């Protein structure tokens, strides 16, 4: 006995009969514009000639996916096809929904290049459903769907497929697709669509890959981005050598298939990167490089192309045609940025041609923790150019360019302006009345040491300046380079001026002394300031906390000067008290002569508190050596965070 229809059933029937959207306006013909968004919830078509209920038989059409597991933010292929192959249909509508309640529509479909897919905005979300834009018969439709970056679980694709006016099936399901964290995904890469059959067009029946997802998805030991490195694709990242250990802070992977140039770019875990980018450079130096940027914005990863500038450091997007590269796949999972990009084989930018087929380029990988308006920020997380320019189609093992000249430049300047200059000034200012009567190479000890230390400063500074010119091969103007140039000029002038030093009794000698003192101390101060400005330089890759080491040095240096000055005043007072002990007017001629001889002998002896000065000099020398050693290690081992991470 048939049960009477409930109120809920009557309402469902009424809704089915009155839904205001049709896929076909007349028998055998689909609505050219496809399904409107008023049927997002029911996916039921409404024909202009009246209400037609869907078929309740098994659908002769199927919904196939290219994989049964997919990482967050990744893309898979979805096929609508007939069973058996060759069965045609006219209209369709498709969505992906959460398999579990509340069964919301999720993900996004991609457009077809030939415009044969109409994207729909259901539930106030963009492009989360798709329908036909061409009412003609078709045997297969191929779509691309991107999973959300913030969803984990199972999704099922549901489609409405119409074979004719009276025959259509609603809710044709696919097999469930498991959305997992991107680094846990074992999904095979998307098949490359040939130009003759772009997504959304009719083509030969598609046979899904024989891939079976594991019952229990577990974490893999290494990121799949490293698979095939050096064998089928070029891989390069920083720190140098990280590809071999599969531990890159940032990495780019280049795959070439004919005229198809694909770049995969990925940031490392725990870096808090705001962007990751790769540049194509002629000279391994920043400036006039074609850059591909992957930038998370508003919950999704966006692609930008830019041209870098060295002075000032910037990446300008307005100079580059943004259609010269296309985003194929992207995700951001646990802070890890990933994108897969296809670049044009030839890109023209401001009169320059980047020819990926025939040209050779350094790969320059960079990532940073900040963004600017319409640009990426400073690459404070790191950057590294490849050692040699390569043709991207030639697969090989890549290494980073040498930083030896930069490291030597930094080490020499630290040794000169933190080390030898600081010690040389101490000798000249406080030790003229110490080691009195002792000479080295015919000169007083203080002068011999002062001259040796300052000649060392001059030699190290000139060598360091030559090295950085050899490295850069051009002038780059910023605070570090400008103040550094002034320091070098003062350093160069000081010994030349010393050659024209007036005699001790010359009336011009005081002017020389003041000028020599001013030039030396000004150069010392500017040298230390220049080192402070080096901490922020991209090429230096120095830690920000190096500033505190430099501040500590300045405090110690000033404190030592203060102690020496107080000691010097105490010494002078002691000598003055000695002289005032005897009143020359009350002495006989013999006593005055003896007193003068005694004072003459005293001038040939060390001033009072010489032992204190020597002891303080020894302590300061040890502390100064430690400062110089630590700072040079930071320069030579930069970036020090990566070195400490390895150890």
């Amino acid at each position: 006995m048939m049960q009477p229809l409930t109120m809920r059933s009557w309402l469902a029937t009424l809704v089915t009969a009155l839904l205001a959207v049709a896929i076909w306006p007349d028998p055998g013909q689909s609505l050219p514009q496809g399904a409107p968004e008023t049927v997002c919830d029911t996916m039921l078509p409404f024909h202009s000639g009246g209400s037609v209920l869907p078929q309740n038989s098994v659908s002769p059409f199927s919904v196939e996916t290219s994989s049964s597991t997919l990482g967050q933010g990744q893309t898979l292929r979805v096929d609508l096809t007939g069973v058996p192959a060759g069965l045609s249909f006219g209209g369709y509508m498709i969505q992906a929904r959460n398999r579990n309640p509340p069964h919301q529509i999720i993900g996004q479909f991609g457009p077809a290049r030939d415009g044969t897919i109409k994207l729909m905005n259901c539930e106030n979300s963009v492009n989360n459903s798709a329908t036909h834009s061409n009412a003609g018969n078709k045997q297969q439709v191929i779509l691309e769907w991107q999973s959300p970056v913030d969803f984990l679980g199972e999704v099922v694709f549901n489609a409405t497929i119409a074979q004719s006016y009276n025959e259509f099936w609603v809710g044709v399901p696919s097999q469930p697709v498991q959305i997992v964290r991107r680094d846990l995904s074992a999904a095979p890469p998307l098949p490359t669509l040939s130009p003759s059959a772009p997504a959304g067009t009719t083509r030969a029946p598609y046979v899904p890959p024989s891939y079976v997802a594991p019952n229990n998805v577990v974490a893999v030991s290494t990121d799949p981005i490293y698979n095939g490195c050096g064998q089928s694709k070029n891989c390069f990242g920083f720190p140098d050598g990280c590809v071999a250990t599969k531990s890159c802070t940032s990495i780019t992977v280049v795959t070439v298939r004919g005229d198809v140039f694909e770049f995969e770019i990925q940031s490392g875990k725990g870096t808090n990167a705001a962007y990751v980018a790769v540049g194509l450079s002629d000279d391994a130096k920043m400036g006039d490089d074609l850059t591909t940027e992957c930038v998370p914005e508003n919950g999704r990863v966006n692609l930008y192309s830019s041209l870098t500038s060295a002075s000032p450091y910037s990446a300008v997007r307005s100079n580059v045609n943004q259609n010269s590269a296309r985003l194929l796949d992207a995700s951001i999972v646990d802070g890890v940025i990933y994108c897969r990009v296809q670049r044009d084989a030839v890109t023209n930018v401001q009169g320059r041609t980047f020819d990926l087929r025939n040209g050779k380029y350094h790969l320059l990988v960079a990532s940073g923790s900040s963004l600017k308006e319409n640009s990426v920020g400073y690459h404070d997380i790191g950057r590294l150019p490849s050692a040699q320019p390569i043709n991207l189609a030639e697969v090989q093992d890549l290494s980073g360019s040498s930083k030896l000249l930069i490291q030597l430049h930094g080490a020499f300047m630290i040794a000169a302006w933190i080390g030898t200059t600081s010690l040389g000034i101490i000798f000249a200012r406080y030790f003229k009345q110490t080691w009195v009567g002792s000479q080295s190479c015919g000169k007083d000890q203080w002068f011999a040491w002062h001259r040796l230390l300052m000649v060392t400063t001059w030699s190290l500074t000139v060598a360091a300046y030559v090295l950085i010119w050899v490295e850069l091969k051009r002038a780059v103007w910023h605070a570090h380079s400008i103040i550094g140039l002034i320091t070098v000029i003062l350093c160069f002038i000081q010994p030349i001026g010393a050659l024209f030093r007036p005699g001790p009794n010359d009336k011009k000698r005081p002017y020389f002394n003041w000028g020599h003192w001013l030039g030396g101390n000004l150069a010392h101060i500017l040298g230390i300031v220049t080192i402070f400005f080096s901490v922020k330089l991209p090429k230096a890759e120095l830690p920000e906390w190096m500033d505190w080491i430099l501040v500590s040095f300045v405090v110690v240096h000033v404190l030592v000067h203060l102690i020496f000055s107080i000691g010097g005043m105490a010494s002078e007072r002691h000598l003055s008290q000695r002289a005032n002990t005897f009143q020359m007017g009350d002495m006989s001629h013999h006593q005055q002569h003896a007193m003068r001889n005694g004072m003459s002998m005293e001038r040939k002896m060390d001033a009072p508190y010489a032992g204190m000065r020597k002891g303080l000099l020894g302590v300061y020398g040890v502390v100064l050596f430690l400062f110089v050693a630590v700072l040079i290690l930071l320069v030579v081992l930069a970036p020090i965070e990566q070195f400490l991470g390895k150890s």
Side-chain angles (χ1 to χ4, degrees):
M1 180 178 179
M2 292 184 60
Q3 298 294 327
L5 290 175
T6 64
M7 180 64 68
R8 186 183 183 92
S9 300
W10 278 109
L11 288 174
T13 304
L14 183 62
V15 168
T16 300
L18 297 178
L19 282 170
V21 176
I23 297 180
W24 313 268
D26 53 65
Q29 180 64 36
S30 299
L31 193 68
Q33 293 79 18
E37 293 168 2
T38 51
V39 294
C40 285
D41 291 335
T42 63
M43 301 182 70
L44 287 169
F46 178 77
H47 300 290
S48 59
S51 168
V52 180
L53 296 179
Q55 299 292 311
N56 56 14
S57 60
V58 176
S59 170
F61 303 98
S62 66
V63 180
E64 304 283 352
T65 60
S66 60
S67 176
S68 57
T69 185
L70 189 70
Q72 290 175 311
Q74 289 188 316
T75 304
L76 58 69
R77 192 166 112 173
V78 183
D79 286 31
L80 305 182
T81 186
V83 182
L87 192 64
S88 63
F89 57 94
Y92 68 89
M93 178 180 174
I94 186 169
Q95 299 171 341
R97 287 184 177 267
N98 186 353
R99 193 179 186 188
N100 298 315
H103 306 297
Q104 73 273 23
I105 307 172
I106 61 175
Q108 290 185 335
F109 287 93
R113 294 182 184 177
D114 59 359
T116 55
I117 295 175
K118 176 186 175 182
L119 300 179
M120 304 169 62
N121 303 330
C122 294
E123 297 181 354
N124 297 319
S125 295
V126 178
N127 301 342
N128 61 1
S129 302
T131 185
H132 64 277
S133 63
N134 184 335
N137 288 336
K138 50 189 71 68
Q139 296 180 356
Q140 183 182 32
V141 170
I142 302 170
L143 307 100
E144 288 187 359
W145 178 83
Q146 183 179 22
S147 64
V149 297
D150 56 355
F151 175 82
L152 292 172
E154 285 189 320
V155 299
V156 174
F157 290 89
N158 290 281
T160 292
I161 303 176
Q163 187 175 20
S164 66
Y165 173 78
N166 293 319
E167 294 181 290
F168 59 91
W169 288 260
V170 176
V172 179
S174 69
Q175 292 296 317
V177 175
Q178 182 76 36
I179 307 300
V180 300
R181 296 188 186 279
R182 201 190 72 79
D183 53 352
L184 303 182
S185 172
L190 281 173
T192 303
L193 303 181
S194 66
S196 60
T201 60
T202 303
R203 58 176 286 169
Y206 167 65
V207 180
S210 56
Y211 171 80
V212 179
N215 294 327
N216 297 310
V217 179
V218 296
V220 293
S221 57
T222 58
D223 195 310
I225 198 171
Y226 296 99
N227 296 339
C229 285
Q231 299 174 351
S232 59
K233 57 188 181 182
N234 282 312
C235 303
F236 179 66
F238 67 82
D240 194 17
C242 66
V243 174
T245 58
K246 301 181 179 179
S247 58
C248 292
T249 301
S250 293
I251 184 174
T252 185
V253 173
V254 184
T255 305
V256 180
R257 296 186 298 272
D259 280 348
V260 177
F261 293 84
E262 285 189 6
F263 294 78
E264 292 177 82
I265 318 171
Q266 180 175 288
S267 65
K269 294 181 180 178
T271 60
N272 296 319
Y275 72 90
V276 61
V278 58
L280 299 176
S281 173
D282 290 327
D283 55 6
K285 298 174 177 61
M286 185 172 176
D288 296 327
D289 310 319
L290 179 61
T291 304
T292 304
E293 309 166 3
C294 295
V295 184
E297 294 174 320
N298 301 320
R300 61 180 299 167
V301 178
N302 291 326
L303 167 68
Y304 298 101
S305 296
S306 61
L307 188 71
T308 63
S309 170
S311 183
Y313 287 108
S314 61
V316 183
R317 296 170 181 169
S318 59
N319 294 335
V320 185
N321 180 4
Q322 296 301 312
N323 293 325
S324 62
R326 292 157 295 283
L327 185 63
L328 304 179
D329 191 6
S331 68
I332 177 168
V333 181
D334 293 337
V336 177
I337 306 170
Y338 170 84
C339 66
R340 184 164 61 92
V341 178
Q342 180 178 330
R343 291 210 67 93
D344 289 346
V346 178
T347 303
N348 294 306
V349 184
Q350 293 189 323
R352 295 199 58 204
T353 299
F354 291 87
D355 185 352
L356 307 191
R357 297 190 197 96
N358 305 309
K360 290 188 176 183
Y361 300 97
H362 295 266
L363 295 176
L364 202 162
V365 183
S367 61
S369 59
S370 64
L371 299 174
K372 299 178 181 178
E373 185 177 359
N374 298 321
S375 178
V376 296
Y378 167 63
H379 39 73
D380 54 345
I381 295 175
R383 65 178 287 278
L384 183 67
S386 60
Q388 301 295 331
I390 64 165
N391 184 292
L392 299 181
E394 298 176 3
V395 177
Q396 55 195 280
D397 293 325
L398 300 176
S399 61
S401 62
S402 173
K403 298 185 291 184
L404 178 61
L405 297 184
I406 294 175
Q407 292 169 339
L408 287 175
H409 168 82
F412 286 0
M413 287 300 194
I414 288 172
W417 295 101
I418 301 293
T420 57
T421 303
S422 301
L423 203 56
I425 289 175
I426 293 290
F427 270 104
R429 186 165 182 178
Y430 302 109
F431 282 84
K432 292 179 180 178
Q433 292 300 315
T434 310
W435 292 298
V436 174
S438 175
Q439 292 189 335
S440 178
C441 300
K443 299 294 183 181
D444 290 342
Q445 289 290 352
W446 75 267
F447 183 80
W449 282 103
H450 172 75
R451 183 173 61 181
L452 174 64
L453 291 167
M454 290 311 182
V455 168
T456 304
T457 294
W458 188 91
S459 302
L460 289 172
T461 300
V462 171
Y465 198 68
V466 170
L467 288 173
I468 203 63
W469 267 102
V470 171
E471 169 67 20
L472 297 179
K473 297 181 177 66
R474 59 185 174 185
V476 179
W477 300 113
H478 42 63
H480 175 80
S481 62
I482 294 171
I483 301 175
L485 178 60
I486 297 172
T487 304
V488 171
I489 293 172
L490 290 173
C491 175
F492 200 82
I493 291 174
Q494 281 292 96
I496 297 175
L499 295 176
F500 300 95
R501 179 175 62 248
N505 299 320
D506 194 301
K507 62 180 182 180
K508 296 180 181 178
R509 181 62 177 260
Y511 298 106
F512 167 82
N513 289 341
W514 277 106
H516 192 69
W517 174 88
L518 180 62
N521 283 278
L522 182 60
H524 189 213
I525 293 170
L526 292 178
I528 294 172
V529 171
T530 303
I531 295 173
F532 267 101
F533 277 110
S534 71
V535 176
K536 283 292 186 181
L537 291 178
K539 289 182 178 295
E541 298 181 300
L542 297 171
E544 291 187 2
W545 46 266
M546 181 173 165
D547 283 337
W548 293 107
I549 299 178
L550 292 170
V551 169
S552 301
F553 158 73
V554 172
V555 171
V556 170
H557 185 69
V558 170
L559 185 61
V560 167
H561 270 280
L562 183 62
I563 296 173
F564 272 125
S565 297
I566 294 173
M569 288 187 292
S571 177
E572 289 178 4
R573 181 177 298 179
H574 183 81
L575 289 173
S576 178
Q577 288 175 349
R578 271 189 179 183
N580 293 333
T581 301
F582 301 95
Q583 296 297 323
M584 297 294 289
D586 297 334
M587 295 181 185
S588 65
H589 176 75
H590 178 75
Q591 288 174 324
Q592 291 179 9
H593 180 73
M595 183 63 184
R596 290 191 187 97
N597 288 337
M599 293 177 65
S600 176
M601 290 295 295
E602 202 167 70
R603 284 195 295 268
K604 295 180 180 179
M605 298 172 59
D606 285 359
Y609 310 115
M612 181 274 292
R613 290 193 298 276
K614 294 175 183 178
L616 182 58
L617 177 65
V619 173
Y620 178 66
V622 172
V623 173
L624 190 64
F625 173 80
L626 292 176
F627 271 116
V628 171
V630 169
L631 291 170
I632 288 178
L633 284 175
L634 290 178
V635 170
V636 172
L637 301 178
I640 192 66
E641 294 88 351
Q642 296 172 3
F643 176 81
L644 295 176
K646 289 180 181 179
S647 57

